Structures are given as C-alpha cells and as structure tokens.
Amino acid sequence: MENLFEKPLVTVDIIIFTVVDSDLKVLLIRRGVAPFKDMWAIPGGFVRSDETLEEAASRELVEETGAKDIYLEQLYTFGNPKRDPRGRVITIAYFALINSENIKLHATTDASEAKWFSIYDLPQLAFDHKDILDYALKRLRWKLEYTAIVFQLLPKRFTLAQLQKIYEITFHKKFDKRNFRKKILILNILKEAGAQKIVKHRPAKLYSFKGKIERIIEIF
Amino acid sequence: MENLFEKPLVTVDIIIFTVVDSDLKVLLIRRGVAPFKDMWAIPGGFVRSDETLEEAASRELVEETGAKDIYLEQLYTFGNPKRDPRGRVITIAYFALINSENIKLHATTDASEAKWFSIYDLPQLAFDHKDILDYALKRLRWKLEYTAIVFQLLPKRFTLAQLQKIYEITFHKKFDKRNFRKKILILNILKEAGAQKIVKHRPAKLYSFKGKIERIIEIF
DNA sequence: ACAAAAGTGTTGAGAGTACACCCATGC
DNA sequence: GCATGGGTGTACTCTCAACACTTTTGT
C-alpha cells in the first residue's frame, strides 16, 4: 500500500521539427543504454527541482541543438504506468520548431548520436515515442492551419514559394499557387523585403513576417 | 546537488464544467487544510503508481461527483516550482463536461465542501488555480466553436433553444435564432426525438445527437 | 531561344449575416 | 384572447475552389 503513492520520475521530451530539403524532419537521438539500447528516441531529460517545465524543455533544446530563442510549446503529458519498463516515468512532451538557417549553425552537437529523420520515413522508436510523435504531427498540422506558426519554420526573409512548400510538405498535398498567394497576401501579415539574388531564373520577391509573432500565435 | 533531481509530487486536477440555470458553472471544493485553508480550489489528488493519468482523473471525478462515463480531456500540465509553497508539485489538469441531468443525480457528495460556482462570479482560488481555470475556459470556448463537444453538456434529448443557450452563455453573447438553427441543422448531426411535454407554451421539438460522439470530437 | 521558376484574374458555388412575422399551447 | 416561447425564408455579401497563360532571368 505504501508504494501506491510512490513519487514518479518526471521528464520532458522535445519533438524538434524542421523543414529542410523539401522534407519535414524531426530530430532523434540514438540511445546508448538499455532499455531500447541503440534504438532511436525523442530527446529529453529529467526536470530539475528548481526549474519550470518550460525551462527544462528549453534547456534540453539548447543541449541538443545549440539553438536558443526557439518556438516551444507544451504538447501533452504521457503517463501510462507501463510506458517505461524501469518504473513509473511521466513525461511532459513539448514541441519545437526551428528554421533551416539555425540548423546549419548548430548541427554539431554530439553528431554521432543525433540525426534528422524525415517524418515520412522513421526508424522504430523506443518507449511510446511513436505515439508522441504522431500526436506532435497532428498538433503541427493543426497549428499550421489555424495560426501563424509557419514563420517559425522559415528564415527571416523568404519567398512565397518556400512558404507554400512548407504547407505542401506537412499536409502531403499540392495547393494551387494563385489561390495560396491570394490567401496569404490578403491577410496583410507580410511585408516585401527585397528580392532573391544569384538564381538562374526569374528572381522571386522576398517577404518577411510583419507582426509580432507571439501575438498571432496566441490563437491557442 | 543531490536534491536538484529530487522527484516531484504529481497530482491531477479536474475542472468540471456544467451548464445549469442558464449559467456556466465549475465545481470547486473548500480546502480543509493549510496552505490556503478555507479557500476554494479545483478538485484533484495524487496519481497512484498503478494508474494512468486519465484513470487518476476519472477516479477523482467519480469521487467528487459520483458521475461515471463523463467526457474528460487532458488540458495542460502546470509545473512552476513555486506553485505550491510546500514543495515541488506538478499537476496535470484535465477538464470534464457533465450535463445537468447527471448533476442532479449526484450532487450529494460531501456537500458542505463542494459547490458549483458561476464561471463569471468566482471566489478567490488557492494556488495557481485561477490560471488553470482561465486556461480551461479558453479551451472550452475553442472546443465549442470547432467540435461537437457541446452535446456533452446536454441531456440525451434537448431542444434547439437549449443548445443555443449554451453557446450564448459560454461566449457571453446572443446569436440570431434563425441563423443558429439553420447552421446546426444543415450539419445533419441531429435527429428528431419527439417533443416536449408539460410546458405552458408551444412545445419544442426534441433532438438527439446522431453521430458517435467520439468521431466528431476527434478534431483535436 | 530555351529552361526554370515567378507572377497574375475571373467565375461560380456555398457559407455567413442581417432581418420580422406567424404558430401552437396553457391559462 | 393573451402571454410565452417555438418555428420559419429571403436577399446580400464574402470566402473558397477551379482553372492557364505571360514574365523575368541566366545560360
């Protein structure tokens, strides 16, 4: 009866999404220890007693990617008593969006153990991490549809084609170019920011996101 | 350094909403012990080591209201290290929707200590429970707007006026009767289910929700 | 001149909004 | 017959989806 109220371990896991090479990717790490040794897993770690959950997630994010000031949002808390064979571990999952520019700057952390995987071509995952990832993907799609979160996946200046590409990748379907551009531009959230250089075809206009990002994302 | 990784306590808290007397209400309990003795708080309790988080929430729900098979959904996890003055307590908040019929059946649990409060007229709350409640209300509004969750707040058979009333209460504004009815009926999710009796005016048609509730609610 | 991607408008269908009167019942 | 809430239709606006050709640049 006593251990019925035993304290669980509490971790945060972070699903880190990015779009590179026309593909939606997620960062996974290879486990060095049992259980699930050598399998791929979502990065995470224990919550320290002096930090908030968001601080814990943010700290793990910096440890894995070196990237600071990244969009981070709490996803869901997974607490099935059997999810970790070693004992009760409750994990608060976060998801993070990082743009391809930041990746290139910081891809050097522990490179032998961390790798970007296409969301459409995943290895087998440790624990219940496949469920967590499925949930994260659902949330990402929803957020792209109903909020202005997409700009977290883009560099400061981008073309409308890049923007459209992100939607096509995450929703796994094509959109009509004219309708897409009309829909975005009518929102009046972009401002023109010069033009591409050094391309071997007609250079596209560059845009940047006008609003304070926080303001628009707060739809939820 | 050792207690930096001390295990936190983990609780679930449940925000239980209902609509009665043309008002949106939430169930609160009066605390019998310090800290915040005699203040009102969201019901909750510790997660046992053999149960899932949802089972813990469901168990607390039964303990507070006696009601089973109630709609329950995970809301958010609150883990600020200072949220409980006694030490680190992480709480996974759930929210539940219960219809007024069920309330009347089970309002007898520990009645001196539990009470329904209008969401628009709340007492001061213990801990960070006001934040949790604000968050729950946002989620409820969002869900009402974009999912078929409203039927969880209604008895099996209901009138369109009752349905409209719930929207007016939670969004705190009036809707046009003709447009509202058109919008609902065109969705083709209701079926007629007889008529009211014993009313002192023209009796309204009763409707019931056609779909499997789970199917439609899964929008998120 | 050709390859490659950028850029641009119109039409039709459906959804949302505004708005006011008659109907069925109990007393 | 009157008080109470129930029930109904139309016209306008706006948003969304379908659809194909011209423009600019580098080679």
Side-chain angles (χ1 to χ4, degrees), chain B residues 142-159:
Chain B
W142 183 83
K143 282 267 173 169
L144 282 173
E145 197 160 353
Y146 295 108
T147 77
I149 209 179
V150 68
F151 303 109
Q152 303 291 349
L153 288 166
L154 288 165
K156 277 213 187 67
R157 304 193 310 153
F158 50 86
T159 68

Side-chain angles (χ1 to χ4, degrees), chain A:
Chain A
M1 204 58 181
E2 182 144 83
N3 79 357
L4 191 57
F5 289 99
E6 199 182 14
K7 293 179 182 177
L9 282 164
V10 176
T11 62
V12 289
D13 286 343
I14 304 122
I15 297 92
I16 308 165
F17 286 119
T18 196
V19 173
V20 221
D21 305 333
S22 298
D23 201 1
L24 175 61
K25 310 228 179 206
V26 63
L27 189 69
L28 299 176
I29 56 164
R30 191 191 277 280
R31 287 182 59 79
V33 296
F36 302 107
K37 186 164 180 334
D38 296 328
M39 275 178 80
W40 293 93
I42 296 166
F46 292 106
V47 176
R48 295 182 187 163
S49 41
D50 62 343
E51 63 187 358
T52 65
L53 302 174
E54 178 144 349
E55 282 162 3
S58 182
R59 177 175 52 72
E60 293 289 340
L61 188 55
V62 173
E63 286 172 16
E64 292 303 333
T65 66
K68 286 195 68 174
D69 298 322
I70 294 303
Y71 179 79
L72 191 63
E73 138 178 352
Q74 189 182 302
L75 183 64
Y76 197 81
T77 299
F78 296 82
N80 192 299
K82 301 221 166 77
R83 57 181 295 279
D84 189 319
R86 292 165 297 181
R88 187 75 196 255
V89 181
I90 290 170
T91 195
I92 298 119
Y94 277 78
F95 91 108
L97 302 180
I98 186 169
N99 75 52
S100 40
E101 280 182 347
N102 285 343
I103 290 172
K104 276 165 196 150
L105 292 172
H106 302 288
T108 44
T109 319
D110 215 352
S112 61
E113 294 285 30
K115 198 178 144 190
W116 294 99
F117 284 86
S118 164
I119 201 78
Y120 300 113
D121 186 19
L122 291 168
Q124 223 198 338
L125 296 180
F127 306 105
D128 55 355
H129 286 186
K130 181 65 165 73
D131 298 333
I132 298 179
L133 206 41
D134 287 345
Y135 193 90
L137 187 57
K138 262 202 248 174
R139 173 78 64 96
L140 175 63
R141 286 192 174 129
W142 182 83
K143 282 269 174 168
L144 282 172
E145 198 160 353
Y146 295 109
T147 76
I149 209 180
V150 66
F151 303 110
Q152 303 291 348
L153 288 166
L154 288 165
K156 279 215 185 66
R157 303 193 310 153
F158 50 86
T159 68
L160 292 180
Q162 282 179 287
L163 183 59
Q164 183 171 348
K165 192 84 195 185
I166 291 187
Y167 279 90
E168 293 183 340
I169 292 163
T170 48
F171 289 97
H172 234 201
K173 68 176 179 187
K174 292 274 174 198
F175 295 96
D176 179 85
K177 191 169 35 158
R178 280 166 297 185
N179 290 338
F180 184 87
R181 296 163 93 94
K182 201 191 316 166
K183 204 161 154 181
I184 296 292
L185 291 175
I186 210 172
L187 293 174
N188 196 31
I189 55 175
L190 298 186
K191 60 166 180 272
E192 299 194 9
Q196 281 186 326
K197 286 168 188 166
I198 331 170
V199 282
K200 58 183 181 199
H201 51 76
R202 176 172 176 179
K205 278 185 191 166
L206 291 170
Y207 291 86
S208 65
F209 180 53
K210 244 199 239 180
K212 299 279 171 275
I213 287 190
E214 295 74 16
R215 190 162 43 84
I216 298 206
I217 282 174
E218 255 183 42
I219 295 175
F220 205 59

Side-chain angles (χ1 to χ4, degrees), chain B residues 14-77:
Chain B
I14 304 124
I15 297 91
I16 307 164
F17 286 118
T18 197
V19 172
V20 220
D21 304 333
S22 298
D23 201 1
L24 175 62
K25 311 231 181 204
V26 63
L27 188 69
L28 299 175
I29 57 163
R30 191 190 276 279
R31 288 181 59 78
V33 295
F36 301 107
K37 187 165 181 331
D38 296 327
M39 274 177 80
W40 294 92
I42 296 166
F46 292 106
V47 176
R48 296 182 187 162
S49 41
D50 62 343
E51 64 187 358
T52 66
L53 302 174
E54 178 143 349
E55 281 162 3
S58 183
R59 178 176 50 72
E60 293 290 339
L61 188 54
V62 173
E63 287 172 16
E64 292 304 332
T65 66
K68 284 194 69 175
D69 299 322
I70 293 304
Y71 178 79
L72 191 64
E73 144 180 345
Q74 189 182 302
L75 184 64
Y76 197 81
T77 298

Side-chain angles (χ1 to χ4, degrees), chain B:
Chain B
M1 206 56 182
E2 185 145 81
N3 81 356
L4 192 58
F5 289 99
E6 200 181 13
K7 293 178 183 176
L9 283 165
V10 176
T11 61
V12 288
D13 286 344
I14 304 124
I15 297 91
I16 307 164
F17 286 118
T18 197
V19 172
V20 220
D21 304 333
S22 298
D23 201 1
L24 175 62
K25 311 231 181 204
V26 63
L27 188 69
L28 299 175
I29 57 163
R30 191 190 276 279
R31 288 181 59 78
V33 295
F36 301 107
K37 187 165 181 331
D38 296 327
M39 274 177 80
W40 294 92
I42 296 166
F46 292 106
V47 176
R48 296 182 187 162
S49 41
D50 62 343
E51 64 187 358
T52 66
L53 302 174
E54 178 143 349
E55 281 162 3
S58 183
R59 178 176 50 72
E60 293 290 339
L61 188 54
V62 173
E63 287 172 16
E64 292 304 332
T65 66
K68 284 194 69 175
D69 299 322
I70 293 304
Y71 178 79
L72 191 64
E73 144 180 345
Q74 189 182 302
L75 184 64
Y76 197 81
T77 298
F78 295 82
N80 191 299
K82 302 221 166 77
R83 60 180 293 280
D84 189 319
R86 292 165 298 181
R88 186 75 196 254
V89 182
I90 290 170
T91 194
I92 298 117
Y94 278 78
F95 91 107
L97 302 181
I98 188 170
N99 76 52
S100 40
E101 278 182 348
N102 284 342
I103 290 172
K104 276 163 197 153
L105 292 171
H106 302 286
T108 44
T109 319
D110 213 353
S112 61
E113 295 286 31
K115 199 179 144 191
W116 293 99
F117 284 86
S118 164
I119 200 77
Y120 301 113
D121 186 18
L122 292 169
Q124 223 198 339
L125 296 180
F127 305 105
D128 53 356
H129 286 187
K130 181 66 167 70
D131 298 333
I132 298 179
L133 205 43
D134 287 346
Y135 194 90
L137 186 57
K138 261 202 248 177
R139 174 77 64 95
L140 175 63
R141 287 194 173 129
W142 183 83
K143 282 267 173 169
L144 282 173
E145 197 160 353
Y146 295 108
T147 77
I149 209 179
V150 68
F151 303 109
Q152 303 291 349
L153 288 166
L154 288 165
K156 277 213 187 67
R157 304 193 310 153
F158 50 86
T159 68
L160 293 180
Q162 282 178 287
L163 183 59
Q164 182 172 348
K165 193 82 195 186
I166 291 188
Y167 280 90
E168 293 183 340
I169 291 164
T170 49
F171 288 98
H172 235 200
K173 67 176 180 189
K174 293 274 175 198
F175 296 97
D176 178 85
K177 192 172 28 160
R178 281 167 296 186
N179 292 336
F180 184 87
R181 296 163 94 94
K182 200 192 319 169
K183 202 160 152 183
I184 295 291
L185 291 175
I186 210 172
L187 293 174
N188 196 32
I189 54 175
L190 299 186
K191 60 165 179 274
E192 299 194 8
Q196 282 185 325
K197 285 168 189 165
I198 330 168
V199 283
K200 58 182 181 198
H201 50 76
R202 175 173 177 178
K205 279 186 190 163
L206 291 171
Y207 291 87
S208 65
F209 181 52
K210 244 200 242 179
K212 299 278 171 276
I213 288 193
E214 295 74 16
R215 191 163 42 82
I216 299 205
I217 282 174
E218 257 184 41
I219 296 176
F220 204 58

